[in-house]
Amino acid sequence: MKKMFTCLAALEMMLTMVPAAAVSAADTPVAAVTADANSETFYEAKEEMTASVNIDAMAGYWYSSNNMDELVITKGSDINHGNFNFKKMDNIVIGTVRLEYKLTENGTKLYYYNFYTNDGKLWNSYYVTGELPLTYLNPSQDGSIQFLRRLFRGKVVTESGDLNLRSDTNTSSEILAEIPAGTVLDIFASGYENWYRTNYLGETGYVSAEFIKETVTPITPVDIKNYTGKWIYEVSNGNHPVGDGAKIVGTVEIKDDFTYTYTNESSEVTTGIVVTDYEQYADETALPVMHFYENNKFGFGGYLDPDHPDSIYIGNGGMARLTRDDGSTPDIKALAGKWTYQAADGNTTVDKKSKDSGTLEVKNDGTYTFTGTDGKAKSGKVTIGIEYIDAKRFITVSFGDGKDSLFSGYYRSSDEISIGNGGMARLVRSNGLKVKLSGDANCDNKVELSDAVLIMQFIANPSKYSENGTDENKITAQGMVNADCCNTGDGVTNADALAIQKYKLALLASLPEKK
């Protein structure tokens, strides 16, 4: 490893010697770029830079040289831009990294890695040295933090005894700790040949490179763009892993600027910062993690499994997780509105013949009121959950009062929730539609035998002819209201098709038929 310069004056001298860091501006006159300078007199680099200069060379884990605070840099929208998050105790800073330059009096471009917070303020600035590999960041302004790159994870390999962790890069310096052979450490650049910097049991110091063996390929920081979007927060609904059954307690929206928005089951919203990291284990493995902070305080965190990119497992024990929202899971607001509780009428299923047994109103905050046919009302809270049957995923909806469940069922569509098993009851969306012409199932403003045919098609093959069916001639919501022309209120049944036939044969004077 080359000896690294830590003196600011030496760095400034080196900048004039490295072609990648000092590029002629002959093709870009000063007058042409002056208008692009920001408040810090930096210009944005728009040309395609070499690998030794662009932001891609910076991607990785970095640590402050004084107390090992973590800086994570990830690739951005192009090779001249990136993202970062910095964690010091409970203080989190996030923002963007930009390759920018200043112009000298003779038109030479001097390049800098500039870190801006999300509110646009310059956080730290560093000289571009043009060295590869880039193992250290030295400040170009007073107050900026010097950072060292995490190089790899290494194992202590000694023939006998422990490895000394020393306060300086020589064998006569103070011994801070003795590290047992076989210990796996995070290894950082030190700025000196034959020595690495590391941290052991809270002590930061130097170890001889001779006794460190690289064990794991350097970990690439998590690319936040792979995790942006909406996620469902699932928590186990019993004493079992979340994959065996869960309730949904909220949603998380992750953005590419390392911020997130959490909406709980009561539609309350909080925002915060996402920090990516990794956890290391004694068996030399390392697992990437994602932590969520609100007001710089840790809220929750999860493990990222490369084999399951659509899940983030929260905590230990498999009791909670985030799953990527594929659009099939409703939130509370999607259930808000008025519903009708229908029960099977007789020895049949509710989709064949039904009667109204109450009304239900769901509000945006997840509360509901159910009113039975006797006029008595019950209130409580709606819970959306997940159930797995033979590896198939089902969305469950439960209506409880905090102690007991009034009823529960499976979410079928935005307009139907089946209650219990066996198809004996359901909730259907109250659409507020009124009968325009009784018996006019196909909504052509007349009652014909074709209306009876459509009703029978709907009953025989609902996957094609129901409101959500695939056939272009399927029944509509208004058609369902019109079609209920025998014993109005019991749903669409074969009796409605028979009533239309009777009407066309003049056996009925008018519709609807009452029995």
Side-chain angles (χ1 to χ4, degrees), residues 13-26:
M13 178 183 71
M14 184 169 63
L15 282 171
T16 64
M17 301 169 59
V18 182
V23 182
S24 172

Side-chain angles (χ1 to χ4, degrees), residues 263-269 332-333 363-366 381:
T263 305
N264 67 18
E265 54 190 333
S266 297
S267 298
E268 297 170 334
V269 177
I332 290 297
K333 289 184 178 179
K363 297 182 179 179
N364 285 332
D365 62 0
K381 196 167 186 64

